[in-house]
């Protein structure tokens, strides 16, 4: 049932899932008035992140229906609040996973808002006024300016949209683990999907030797030829995995489904680090021996802070990094989600929100 919150007077057309079947249908709802720190954005494009799929199907058991997914949003500002200085009407902007944070804790003060323990997400969050947040599968968004970034002029808005989640989610741990200033180091990327393919692009832009570790032999040719990967290991081949033992300095695990970490850890050199960004709904197998015998470390990482997100967008502008996208009309959202679940996308679906009618 549609929520009613004071000041939520603006009617918006969007698309929502209403139960764990995950089926998306048109949904009309209300957004808040543009406040003094807010900007109103006409949404042009929204990427379909695997996190959207986890949410619409309630994989993690946390979905509040109806859920309007979408946190890879690009659009144009149509209104600014009186406190807003960084943006003006007509600006090309992006919004990612974050809608609000406490602004007072050590993480907020250090622009690591993503680690604030009161973080509110762009969708399926509870905003300060008690309303449930609705995401980018919709025509218009009211966003606090603190969680909005500029999109560099040279980047197309469709292929830039997935940078707002997929891009920053891989950029942040790469930077945090000094991989962006270590040319020649060996990066491994597990899973060549939305997140993984951007990680390969960042790796090449920063002079790394990039190995893709994939369950899909069919992705090898384009991983090498189009994305510039240096090596490709088919993870289901025991022989290829063995040949890769102790070859990598750092691994990003972007896998969305249950898997054991043991075989992947063996690919790390002694002292190497594996960062988990993929979020399967079931615990992952973690044998102790590959950790102990290789003095290896495992960490996690969640999206990125706002300062870092702007930095990432600017890096993409400078290096002309965008996502490989398949742009769809809104009436294909269900088909796209099904194909994403089947690992049938190269490498991100992006919904053309603006130009099409708002019915499915
Ligand atoms: P995606 O486009 O579906 O890519 C995931 C890739 O994982 C697939 O393309 C596939 O690559 C591989 N894969 C799938 N099933 C597998 C299995 N059973 N075993 C091994 N590999 C498998 O998804 P995405 O949008 O990149 O998101 C990936 C995960 O990251 C999701 O769980 C999402 O929720 C999570 N996520 C986390 C954050 C964060 O802040 N930490 C942010 C965004 C997304 P191959 O065909 O190459 O094997
Ligand atoms: Zn995402």
């Amino acid at each position: 049932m549609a929520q009613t919150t004071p000041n939520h007077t603006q009617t918006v057309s969007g698309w929502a899932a209403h139960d764990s079947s995950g089926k998306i249908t048109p949904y009309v709802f209300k957004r808040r008035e543009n406040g003094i720190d807010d900007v109103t954005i006409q949404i042009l494009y929204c990427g379909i992140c695997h996190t959207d799929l986890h949410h619409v199907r309630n994989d993690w058991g946390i979905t509040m229906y109806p859920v309007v997914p979408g946190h890879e949003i690009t659009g144009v500002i149509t209104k600014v609040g009186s406190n807003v200085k960084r943006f003006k009407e007509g600006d090309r902007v992006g919004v990612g996973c974050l809608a609000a944070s406490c602004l007072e804790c050590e993480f907020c003060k250090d622009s690591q808002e993503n680690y604030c323990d009161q973080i509110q997400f762009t969708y399926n969050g509870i905003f300060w006024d008690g309303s449930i947040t609705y995401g980018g599968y919709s025509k218009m968004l009211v966003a606090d300016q603190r969680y909005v970034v500029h999109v560099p002029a040279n980047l197309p808005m469709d292929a830039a949209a997935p940078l707002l989640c997929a891009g920053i989610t891989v950029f942040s741990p790469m930077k945090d683990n000094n991989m962006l200033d270590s040319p020649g180091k060996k990066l491994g990327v597990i899973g060549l999907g939305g997140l993984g393919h951007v990680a390969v692009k960042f790796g090449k832009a920063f002079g790394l030797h990039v190995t893709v570790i994939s369950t899909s032999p069919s992705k090898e040719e384009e991983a090498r030829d189009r994305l510039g990967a240096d090596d490709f290991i088919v993870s289901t081949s025991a022989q290829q995995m063995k040949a890769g033992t102790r070859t990598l300095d750092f691994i990003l695990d972007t896998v969305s489904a249950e898997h054991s970490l043991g075989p992947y850890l063996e690919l790390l050199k002694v002292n190497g680090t594996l960062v988990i960004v993929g979020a399967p709904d079931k615990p992952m197998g973690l044998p102790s021996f590959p950790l102990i015998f290789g003095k290896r470390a495992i960490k996690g990482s969640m999206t990125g802070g706002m300062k870092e997100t702007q930095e990432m967008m600017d890096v993409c502008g400078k290096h002309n990094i965008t996502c490989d996208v398949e742009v769809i009309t809104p009436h294909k959202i269900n088909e796209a989600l099904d194909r994403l679940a089947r690992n049938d996308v190269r490498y991100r679906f992006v919904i053309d929100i603006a130009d099409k009618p708002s019915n499915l």
Side-chain angles (χ1 to χ4, degrees):
M1 217 176 79
Q3 56 185 344
T4 49
T5 312
N7 294 330
H8 284 235
T9 53
Q10 306 201 73
T11 302
V12 185
S13 301
W15 295 267
H18 299 263
D19 56 47
S20 61
S21 71
K23 189 172 185 309
I24 298 272
T25 54
Y27 180 59
V28 175
F29 61 96
K30 302 279 187 189
R31 290 203 188 276
R32 68 179 184 269
E33 289 293 301
N34 195 84
I36 55 175
D37 286 309
D38 289 334
V39 297
T40 297
I41 299 165
Q42 183 205 349
I43 298 178
L44 298 178
Y45 295 98
C46 186
I48 298 184
C49 178
H50 205 111
T51 297
D52 302 350
L53 189 60
H54 289 309
H55 271 95
V56 299
R57 297 187 176 180
N58 201 17
D59 285 351
W60 298 332
I62 58 167
T63 305
M64 295 178 279
Y65 293 104
V67 61
V68 177
H71 57 207
E72 295 187 335
I73 301 163
T74 55
V76 174
I77 291 195
T78 56
K79 197 175 198 176
V80 297
S82 55
N83 281 351
V84 176
K85 304 286 177 262
R86 292 166 52 228
F87 300 102
K88 59 179 186 325
E89 268 179 51
D91 281 358
R92 291 157 30 103
V93 293
V95 173
C97 301
L98 310 187
S101 59
C102 82
L103 306 177
E104 284 167 6
C105 71
E106 57 177 308
F107 301 105
C108 284
K109 284 186 176 150
D110 192 33
S111 195
Q112 295 186 67
E113 303 87 350
N114 47 321
Y115 296 114
C116 170
D117 67 359
Q118 293 180 54
I119 190 80
Q120 302 302 332
F121 293 108
T122 299
Y123 68 86
N124 203 52
I126 299 178
F127 200 65
W128 305 136
D129 58 12
S131 63
I132 292 172
T133 54
Y134 291 136
Y137 293 16
S138 61
K139 296 272 178 187
M140 179 273 266
L141 180 71
V142 179
D144 185 317
Q145 58 157 333
R146 296 175 185 93
Y147 309 96
V148 180
V149 294
H150 289 279
V151 178
N154 60 317
L155 299 184
M157 295 294 260
D158 51 359
L163 296 173
L164 276 306
C165 173
I168 184 60
T169 299
V170 296
F171 182 88
S172 181
M174 288 175 77
K175 186 174 178 212
D176 198 39
N177 289 275
N178 304 317
M179 293 304 284
L180 300 186
D181 50 14
S182 307
K185 284 239 172 169
K186 296 199 160 181
L187 166 72
V189 178
I190 312 176
L192 194 61
L195 270 57
H197 92 288
V198 194
V200 173
K201 293 189 183 193
F202 282 136
K204 293 318 298 173
F206 287 91
L208 301 174
H209 181 281
V210 180
T211 300
V212 172
I213 306 134
S214 171
T215 59
S216 307
S218 62
K219 291 180 182 173
E220 173 162 5
E221 195 176 319
E222 62 193 41
R224 290 181 185 274
D225 296 350
R226 206 173 66 230
L227 302 175
D230 301 286
D231 262 319
F232 193 95
I233 295 176
V234 178
S235 54
T236 49
S237 158
Q239 191 196 348
Q240 290 189 29
M241 289 293 275
K242 190 153 190 296
T245 302
R246 292 197 176 200
T247 56
L248 305 174
D249 294 290
F250 179 77
I251 295 178
L252 273 176
D253 180 348
T254 75
V255 174
S256 53
E258 195 182 348
H259 58 294
S260 173
L261 292 172
Y264 297 110
L265 285 169
E266 299 284 7
L267 301 176
L268 284 173
K269 295 178 185 172
V270 172
N271 242 341
T273 301
L274 180 147
V275 173
I276 295 173
V277 290
D281 56 352
K282 301 234 168 38
M284 288 181 264
L286 178 55
S288 57
F289 279 17
L291 285 179
I292 296 168
F293 279 82
K295 212 204 318 175
R296 299 169 174 117
I298 299 183
K299 298 163 86 171
S301 187
M302 191 185 65
T303 187
M306 292 318 301
K307 199 168 148 218
E308 199 172 44
T309 304
Q310 185 64 66
E311 179 191 342
M312 180 272 314
M313 293 302 285
D314 295 343
V315 161
C316 290
K318 185 171 161 209
H319 293 275
N320 223 358
I321 294 174
T322 54
C323 304
D324 291 15
V325 298
E326 182 174 338
V327 178
I328 59 157
T329 54
H331 75 278
K332 298 263 189 189
I333 294 173
N334 288 308
E335 193 182 305
L337 286 166
D338 285 342
R339 282 182 53 198
L340 178 61
R342 293 199 307 270
N343 195 8
D344 175 22
V345 52
R346 302 283 202 278
Y347 287 95
R348 195 55 126 202
F349 288 112
V350 170
I351 310 163
D352 181 350
I353 299 277
D355 290 335
K356 304 292 179 258
S358 62
N359 52 347
L360 291 179

